[in-house]
Amino acid sequence: MEALTLKSDRAIAELFYQVTHSGNLTRTESYGLRALGESALSEDARDAANRLLHAIRRGWVRISD
């Protein structure tokens, strides 16, 4: 999976799609998701990022290096 810059709604949507199908997220992408708290994204993109973070906490998504 190539690294995405998580500054746009489209990038969040692409990441959400890839992670839901693979079940894997890189450590860099997980840090990027956590840093989105202060960025100006649409409500849908923020919800998708929060769902991914929740899936990480629950163990449904694995973090790889």
Side-chain angles (χ1 to χ4, degrees):
M1 179 185 310
E2 81 179 47
L4 295 171
T5 56
L6 302 176
K7 295 183 180 185
S8 70
D9 293 350
R10 182 180 170 104
I12 299 295
E14 288 177 22
L15 180 65
F16 188 81
Y17 175 79
Q18 289 175 354
V19 171
T20 1
H21 289 306
S22 71
N24 293 316
L25 185 69
T26 66
R27 191 166 306 280
T28 305
E29 291 167 339
S30 71
Y31 290 145
L33 282 174
R34 291 182 182 112
L36 287 176
E38 295 117 21
S39 66
L41 293 173
S42 71
E43 187 175 339
D44 290 338
R46 191 174 312 278
D47 287 344
N50 287 334
R51 287 180 189 155
L52 286 174
L53 291 171
H54 178 72
I56 292 168
R57 287 190 301 269
R58 299 291 294 182
W60 300 331
V61 171
R62 291 178 296 180
I63 297 180
S64 60
D65 289 327

